[in-house]
Amino acid sequence: MDILQELEDRRADARLGGGEKRIAAQHSKGKLTARERIDLLLDEGSFEEFDMFVAHRCTDFGMEQDRPAGDGVVTGWGTINGRMVYVFSQDFTVMGGSVSETHGKKICKIMDLAMQNGAPVIGINDSGGARIQEGVASLAAYGDVFQRNITASGVVPQISLIMGPCAGGAVYSPAMTDFIFMVKESSYMFVTGPDVAKTVTNEIVTAEELGGATTHTRKSSVADGAFENDVEALAETRRLFDFLPLNNREQPPVRPFFDDVNRIEESLDTLVPANPNTPYDMKELILKIADEGDFYEIQAEFAKNILTGFIRLEGSTVGVVANQPMVLAGCLDIDSSRKAARFVRFCDAFEIPVLTLVDVPGFLPGTSQEYGGVIKHGAKLLYAYGEATVPKVTVITRKAYGGAYVVMASKHLQADFNYAWPTSEIAVMGAKGATEIIHRGKSAEEIAARTAEYEARFANPFVAAEKGFIDEVIMPHSTRKRICRAFASLRSKKTQMPWKKHDNIPL
Ligand code: HXC
């Protein structure tokens, strides 16, 4: 009986982490504790913990006197809506969640199990970084985690939640995972902090400005989403998880759906305005074709000229990439190419079909784009589409000009179904620009007349359709039905690329 009691006592002690006072301090910052976060993330009662009694082995600086059970990280597995997931959650109340040799080993253990058993890993980061007292042993622990992030990439989905400090080399573990979510005002990520920035570059900047959620979702694009508090971030992570397959050999989950596949949306017939220069909201199209109008947007605050995220069609996950005419007229540029390329590659790695909605007048011109390397960055998206072997369905709603036409999942990049609305203009460039080149030096009246002729002849989907580059010109109102049927017909798609060690994507 005593031994049972001892187990209970030891468990209670471990669950207390750094003690009541530090838990209160954590709460006073608006943060939940490591265990509270796991409780909200996982289905009730589903958490199975590993290594609750693991303690560090450091004997320097009197550390042998202080060996808290669990060593600053809670690890284990559980379920989200019944589907398995491995989790680690750093406990800031125990030595600031700092990473020791044994702390790192705990994380590695669940990552190895996740890869072995084919289930995603969700890491909750809240840590002061390397455990200073352990020195290089702590760096080694990080290195071991990094290697597993790399090995697991493309095998099981990896999601990082940043819910406190994440600084120095520590940022590179989340950076190698598939999605990063941050909490506004209580999390930050930077390679070097504000003090170092001040010393080296004379910049005066707060931690929030340098590496807070707003910075990383709007400026750097390091993070994929930002939430108001821990509770919202955890709830939204559950929502994302439901879209994802458990590993790269499984199909994405199919959910019961209550939305008619044949649903007709008459309003889509008037979505594209009569004037080709008037913008419209591409998000409306996404919401109107998705099951139950549910769209999980990724990187909503960054490069808003392209939309990326997940929907379901007939209950199955589909990744969506869509030009947004409301921002920069939907032009492709460095940021939007990088954003969409990474998204397409995630989808392809995890067998998630890709739907592409196109209204793109071309690549954004100018020195800032060229000096910034738009050639290499634009090539990322082109490359990502061309190497993706998942089912690819494309709908052109309006403009599809020039190189951007080819990039946006055209037939030439082995898209499976390429549809165009009757409002499409698929051409080498806009009518005026084309006429000015062909009829260089002619009078303004002549150019205007020739532009009108060019428009009538080429600003439509039929020239491309005549050549078979468009499989079918479809009615906007039947878009949901057409793409659902297209994806349904592609469920057993199999294609192969020639053997290679790995590709050499233009990084
Ligand atoms: C050991 C640490 C620690 C660390 C915090 N603590 N960071 N212990 N190693 N890295 C302990 C504190 O001593 C304190 O213990 C408790 O955690 C809470 O810390 P506070 O400072 O009281 O909290 P707060 O004021 O919220 O400040 C948080 C903080 C600060 C900004 C993270 O603690 C801090 O600057 N820590 C050092 C960060 C750092 O330099 N890390 C190493 C970076 S190098 P008590 O007992 O008082 O509760 C690195 C390299 C990784 O990470 C490389 C990978 C390749």
Side-chain angles (χ1 to χ4, degrees), residues 63 68 96 104 147 151 169 171 173 178 195 212 229 247 273 283 293 303 309 335 353 376 393 439 491:
M63 286 290 279
Q147 179 59 55
T151 308
V171 296
S173 171
D178 299 301
D195 295 344
N229 51 49
N247 60 61
K283 210 179 272 183
D335 290 349
K376 275 274 171 81
V393 175
H439 302 284
R491 288 212 178 108

Side-chain angles (χ1 to χ4, degrees), residues 22 29 92-98 127-133 139 142-143 146 165 167-170 188:
R22 292 194 184 89
K29 292 181 202 154
F92 192 80
T93 69
V94 176
M95 298 183 196
S98 56
S127 167
R131 173 110 25 108
I132 312 283
Q133 296 88 337
L139 300 185
Y142 271 112
F146 295 168
Y188 55 79

